[in-house]
Amino acid sequence: MSAYSNDFSLLGQASRAFLAEQHLLRIGGKSVSSTGDQTVPLIDPSSGQEVSRVPEATAADVDAAVLAARAALESGPWSRMRPYERAHVMLKLADLIEQNGRELAELETVNSGRLIGATRLIDVEFSAHVLRYMSGWATKIEGRTVDISAPYIPSGEFFSFTTREPIGVVAGIVPWNVPLCQAVWKLAPALTAGCTVVLKPAEPTPLTALRLADLALEAGIPAGVVNVVTGSGAGTGAHLVRHPGVDKISFTGSTATGKLIAASAAVAFKKYNLELGGKSPVVVMQDADLDQAIPAAAWAIFANHGQNCCAGSRLYVHESIFDKVLEGVAEIARSIRLGSGLDPETQMGPLVSKAQQQRVLDYIDAGRREGATVLTGGEALDHPGSYVRPTVLVDTKQTMRVVQEEIFGPVLVAARFADEAEALSLANDSQYGLGASIWTRDVSRVHRFIKGFKAGNVWVNVYNVLDAALPFGGTKNSGVGHDLGEQSVLDHTRLKAAVISL
């Protein structure tokens, strides 16, 4: 067995059994066959071998899922459950995710290529944390009383107030880079607000979404509240976005697809939340603690194999320390151990697919053609898995595609700056605005950069720290709205005003 291909003997019995199943859609609390006969092959990215198949849901299947969600919202037991009861079943679901953590983590690793340590820590443990945090908001959604004037009715006496109601049926469209955790990010605030959900996992990574629906039923979440339709974005996903029975679309993915969703939703006046692409800058000032900044800059891009919407893919370093910082980052890149996700010694696994591998290699080639220098990496492994070596590009210019476009792989572009003004100018010279970080010991400079960065999330002397209590979202082409935090719950409610004549 190659060190680069997953050793399936390491899998537990539960994940082996699930991989071997004939996978079905989850609609109305049941596992059902698709009305069509098309299927989607699921490939282990570490070997290029098919490990399972799921249905390509048809328009009729999407109709059935949305109708099931609508029925659960309006006439099923979910509509009558009190806030504390919603909180209780969400807590139970969190417990079940943890109890089935080995299976979920293994399925995620085989399906996506990610490291087993990451799928256990993020997709299992952080998902449970998000559900527990969000469950607390179920009993705290509230309106307010308003003492209105109505001066055109001088003799009137009124009692006025606002309430918040579930926004309705939510289409949760999930990306392939952190599949289970992102599915929970879509599901948790919707359940908290009393909504029902149709999840559409990414085409190559649907397995944990199917298991999540099963666990939701086991937790006591009524049939039809959580539905899952699998298939392609252009087919299944497009049907779901356009469906007139969907009230809100919560999407994480590419900016190009997000724009199509926004245009479709606008015609129907649907609400939407879009967490899109990024090209996040990491700025290292001359007074930074380099013992911390150098490894942080490396792992800001190489963590999760560079497949992270807020990956620190642009590194800007003060000219006085540029060579030292880049030498340190490149040394870390060269030392990273590539291997299969199930191997606990692996530090970086394969990209999600051969198509993604080729996309990343094409960007590296484009950088070379435009004059960038490959300091390290820049190539694939001679292996059937979709591996790309950690890559650092220097001698880059702002006009290059590798600087301006999201690569979504382990490719770092680096450039020098002379002063604060140039650093901020370079950092903000992007169509994206999801994340940004500054490394410095100067408190006044910290505040200037927090104010100056055109990004939705700013980190100081740390990178990519997320929490369920903190809203996460971007500006510019990085999207609209927020995941996580109180705001994500409120975004799944509809505000209603009422006036009573006394």
Side-chain angles (χ1 to χ4, degrees), residues 294 322-332 334 375:
I294 289 173
F322 182 85
D323 291 340
K324 181 176 182 178
V325 170
L326 266 294
E327 179 184 351
V329 171
E331 183 179 351
I332 291 171
R334 296 185 192 104
L375 188 60

Side-chain angles (χ1 to χ4, degrees), residues 25 81 85 118 161 209 305 357 387 449:
L25 307 175
M81 288 178 71
E85 294 174 308
F161 59 96
H305 324 168
Q357 179 195 47
Y387 291 91
F449 271 81

Side-chain angles (χ1 to χ4, degrees), residues 278-286 288-290 292-302 310-319 321-333 372-373 375-376 391-398 400 402-405 407 409-419 422-430 435-440 449 453 459 461-463:
K279 194 73 176 177
S280 300
V282 176
V283 176
V284 182
M285 302 302 298
Q286 63 269 39
D289 181 343
L290 298 189
Q292 293 185 1
I294 289 173
W299 288 109
I301 178 62
F302 299 134
C310 56
S313 52
R314 291 185 294 142
L315 176 60
Y316 298 112
V317 184
H318 190 271
E319 58 189 9
I321 56 171
F322 182 85
D323 291 340
K324 181 176 182 178
V325 170
L326 266 294
E327 179 184 351
V329 171
E331 183 179 351
I332 291 171
T373 300
L375 188 60
T376 188
T391 300
V392 179
L393 301 179
V394 295
D395 301 323
T396 60
K397 296 179 175 60
Q398 287 297 108
M400 293 179 176
V402 290
V403 176
Q404 290 298 324
E405 298 178 18
I407 299 173
V411 181
L412 178 67
V413 298
R416 311 167 190 261
F417 65 84
D419 53 35
E422 185 180 13
L424 268 175
S425 176
L426 292 169
N428 291 331
D429 180 20
S430 174
S437 75
I438 173 70
W439 293 80
T440 181
F449 271 81
F453 278 136
W459 297 286
N461 296 329
V462 73
Y463 198 82

Side-chain angles (χ1 to χ4, degrees), residues 415-477:
R416 311 167 190 261
F417 65 84
D419 53 35
E420 279 191 26
E422 185 180 13
L424 268 175
S425 176
L426 292 169
N428 291 331
D429 180 20
S430 174
Q431 63 178 308
Y432 299 107
L434 189 54
S437 75
I438 173 70
W439 293 80
T440 181
R441 306 184 206 209
D442 185 328
V443 174
S444 296
R445 178 181 288 142
V446 165
H447 286 277
R448 290 193 294 272
F449 271 81
I450 290 174
K451 183 177 181 180
F453 278 136
K454 295 179 180 177
N457 306 271
V458 176
W459 297 286
V460 178
N461 296 329
V462 73
Y463 198 82
N464 199 24
V465 174
L466 306 177
D467 189 77
L470 198 64
F472 179 75
T475 63
K476 297 188 280 187
N477 277 358

Side-chain angles (χ1 to χ4, degrees), residues 134-301:
M134 290 293 175
S135 72
W137 281 109
T139 56
K140 299 170 185 66
I141 299 172
E142 56 189 24
R144 63 190 183 97
T145 58
V146 183
D147 189 8
I148 64 173
S149 298
Y152 45 85
I153 311 176
S155 62
E157 291 188 38
F158 306 100
F159 178 73
S160 303
F161 59 96
T162 63
T163 62
R164 287 189 177 272
E165 301 174 346
I167 202 167
V169 175
V170 177
I173 303 177
V174 181
W176 47 255
N177 60 322
V178 192
L180 177 58
C181 191
Q182 289 283 344
V184 170
W185 283 24
K186 304 302 180 194
L187 189 64
L191 296 181
T192 298
C195 300
T196 56
V197 182
V198 180
L199 285 176
K200 209 298 283 184
E203 183 175 353
T205 56
L207 291 179
T208 51
L210 295 172
R211 279 297 285 134
L212 181 64
D214 296 341
L215 295 176
L217 277 176
E218 187 178 342
I221 296 174
V225 175
V226 180
N227 308 273
V228 180
V229 289
T230 57
S232 66
T236 305
H239 291 314
L240 183 59
V241 166
R242 293 193 300 262
H243 199 286
V246 168
D247 300 293
K248 176 185 169 78
I249 303 162
S250 182
F251 170 79
T252 298
S254 73
T255 296
T257 302
K259 289 180 177 179
L260 295 175
I261 289 173
S264 175
V267 173
F269 299 107
K270 294 179 183 178
K271 300 290 185 181
Y272 56 84
N273 179 82
L274 307 173
E275 196 267 279
L276 307 177
K279 194 73 176 177
S280 300
V282 176
V283 176
V284 182
M285 302 302 298
Q286 63 269 39
D287 66 335
D289 181 343
L290 298 189
D291 289 339
Q292 293 185 1
I294 289 173
W299 288 109
I301 178 62

Side-chain angles (χ1 to χ4, degrees), residues 15 34 49 54 56 58 69 102 106 122 131 188 221 226 244 252 272 298 306 316 318 340 353 370 462 471 484 496:
S15 48
S34 171
Q49 298 297 308
V54 294
E56 171 76 32
T58 65
R102 178 180 178 181
E106 289 176 348
I122 302 300
L131 279 162
I221 296 174
V226 180
T252 298
Y272 56 84
Y316 298 112
H318 190 271
S340 63
S353 66
E370 293 181 1
V462 73
L484 303 178
K496 178 180 287 185

